Amino acid sequence: MSDTANGTPRRVSILGSTGSIGKNTLDLIGRSPERYQVVALTANGNAEALAAQAKATRAEIAVVADEAAYGRLKEALAGSGIEAAAGPQAVCEAAARDADWVMAAIVGAAGLAPTLAAVERGATIALANKECLVCAGDLFMAEIRRAGATFLPVDSEHNAIFQVFDFEKKERIERIILTASGGPFRDWTREAMAKATPEQAVAHPNWSMGAKISVDSASMFNKGLEFIEAYHIFGIAPERIEILVHPQSVIHSMVGYVDGSVLAQLGSPDMRTPIAYCLAWPDRMVAPVPHLDFPKLGHMDFRAPDPDRFPAIRIVRETLRRGGVAPTAMNAANEVAVAGFLGRQIGFLDIPAVVEATIDDVMAGPLGNQAVDHLDAVMAVDGEARRIAAGHALAHAAAA
Ligand SMILES: NC(=O)c1ccc[n+]([C@@H]2O[C@H](COP(=O)([O-])OP(=O)(O)OC[C@H]3O[C@@H](n4cnc5c(N)ncnc54)[C@H](OP(=O)(O)O)[C@@H]3O)[C@@H](O)[C@H]2O)c1
């Protein structure tokens, strides 16, 4: 990989550059512009913001997935010399351009095809888009190995584990402890959660993130998705992955060894730390994050997650146990349910109900035994699950 060690700027692309992770990545790149050459930036429909980013970084190409946004992108880039393109296929082609390092920060299963396009040419992949591993974990990790791509986890928990996980002595690892803030509804009753609004759900106490992951944090589906993500990245049996609520979000996760040692990575809850880790890897770089002030922090709290108020964790454990198409269906159903909640069609507690019913229906349906070992098969299950989940969401909306 070309990098700053020999004076050559690292060629980087960002899939989902207009989102929360994308903007944090560009913030870090903007602090050392001489070290990076931006190849491709992509968004969904946010053409104006994308064009401004492309101009500021002198990117080679800017791509919107939504074809309806192409005219606005083209107009905003007029005279800049930056290429403009649109459509899901164009996003994949941008991902396949010869960047050394690719940030995968599209939200949802929509990021799977473009991220695989970058994987297939053996790039270094910084993966924030956890849904890739949830909907197609076996396929994704197999492609990483086949293509000889380098995989770096961006999610703060997996980045923390990656930093303290001794891959050479994996058999000496007893457990992984995934920490969870508990989200904005950590201390709410189920009655209060039933009336929760989208505004309350996205108001995360510790992290500033996109809408979908914020709702996932509130339902704790986010921790469930991360459970599956950890299973695929670290190859640890599900029963050895624990979830621990830690409201301060200072310990980002831990690895327990057979001798009783527990190694942890700590830091302020700021995504620029794990992004910087991936951007500079295998080196480290300065990140403009508040440094931990332990006397001010004073104490750290821990508790077990409450399975009654947060059924997502049980649903996800069962989903992984069922295997096959279940994780793909669960991911798609959750995306549909979260969109329904954000659009005020269904209530907050309808989310797990829609997800569970969808998984059962998909598994009992014609695609229930389908092998999800190639992209088309994954997308077929994803599409079927979305159709079924939309029906369940409609039923909940009608009953409300
Ligand atoms: N935010 C965090 O702190 C955080 C932490 C850990 C992991 N993650 C993961 O990182 C991913 C991104 O999260 P985020 O919070 O950055 O999300 P976000 O703020 O909602 O940004 C999502 C990005 O994806 C683009 N996008 C949305 N739908 C698309 C589609 N159908 N095709 C192509 N591009 C599409 C958006 O473009 P537009 O702007 O045009 O809509 C935007 O650039 C998620 O998988 C999340 O779980 C995020």
Side-chain angles (χ1 to χ4, degrees), residues 293-352:
D293 181 339
F294 286 100
K296 196 166 159 200
L297 179 65
H299 63 98
M300 290 192 276
D301 300 306
F302 305 99
R303 65 169 99 142
D306 179 344
D308 297 329
R309 288 184 303 126
F310 297 101
I313 290 172
R314 171 190 55 79
I315 295 171
V316 173
R317 281 194 187 271
E318 280 171 15
T319 299
L320 190 56
R321 191 181 44 73
R322 291 170 91 171
V325 300
T328 315
M330 182 196 70
N331 181 67
N334 183 50
E335 287 191 39
V336 170
V338 169
F341 169 68
L342 286 169
R344 298 177 204 280
Q345 285 106 34
I346 62 170
F348 184 72
L349 294 183
D350 294 332
I351 297 174

Side-chain angles (χ1 to χ4, degrees), residues 41 47 50-51 54 59-64 69-78 80-87 90 94 97:
L41 298 179
L50 179 67
E60 292 174 13
I61 183 167
V63 186
V64 279
Y70 179 64
R72 288 186 283 120
L73 179 66
K74 189 104 184 108
E75 193 182 327
L77 288 176
S80 67
I82 298 167
E83 288 175 63
R97 289 205 174 196

Side-chain angles (χ1 to χ4, degrees), residues 16-21 43-46 65 105-107 110 128-131 155 209-210 213 271:
S17 62
T18 51
S20 168
I21 292 286
N44 188 26
N46 206 343
I106 292 173
V107 60
N129 187 184
K130 65 189 84 182
E131 293 90 349
D155 226 340
M209 311 182 285
I213 184 175
M271 284 308 292

Side-chain angles (χ1 to χ4, degrees), residues 142-300:
E143 279 302 296
I144 292 269
R145 287 187 292 272
R146 192 194 56 75
T150 300
F151 178 88
L152 301 172
V154 174
D155 226 340
S156 57
E157 294 78 0
H158 307 76
N159 189 269
I161 296 164
F162 192 78
Q163 293 195 40
V164 293
F165 191 97
D166 191 341
F167 285 90
E168 307 278 299
K169 299 196 192 78
K170 196 171 151 187
E171 72 286 357
R172 301 287 180 245
I173 290 172
E174 199 175 51
R175 59 182 174 151
I176 280 178
I177 303 165
L178 276 178
T179 53
S181 69
F185 304 154
R186 184 176 58 226
D187 299 315
W188 286 34
T189 62
R190 268 185 77 77
E191 293 68 38
M193 281 194 252
K195 298 190 199 113
T197 64
E199 290 75 17
Q200 291 168 321
V202 300
H204 197 281
N206 304 345
W207 298 93
S208 161
M209 311 182 285
K212 195 254 175 185
I213 184 175
S214 297
V215 176
D216 284 346
S217 296
S219 66
M220 289 198 78
F221 261 110
N222 183 49
K223 211 47 56 184
L225 303 184
E226 289 176 5
F227 173 81
I228 296 184
E229 191 183 5
Y231 164 76
H232 286 293
I233 297 173
F234 300 103
I236 289 283
E239 57 277 12
R240 294 202 281 132
I241 305 176
E242 299 172 11
I243 294 173
L244 176 69
V245 175
H246 162 46
Q248 290 87 1
S249 299
V250 165
I251 297 180
H252 295 307
S253 278
M254 301 184 259
V255 175
Y257 287 83
V258 288
D259 61 3
S261 302
V262 177
L263 303 193
Q265 185 263 0
L266 287 72
S268 294
D270 187 320
M271 284 308 292
R272 288 176 299 181
T273 294
I275 296 171
Y277 180 88
C278 295
L279 200 50
W281 189 90
D283 196 358
R284 289 201 185 245
M285 64 189 277
V286 174
V289 300
H291 283 195
L292 280 181
D293 181 339
F294 286 100
K296 196 166 159 200
L297 179 65
H299 63 98
M300 290 192 276

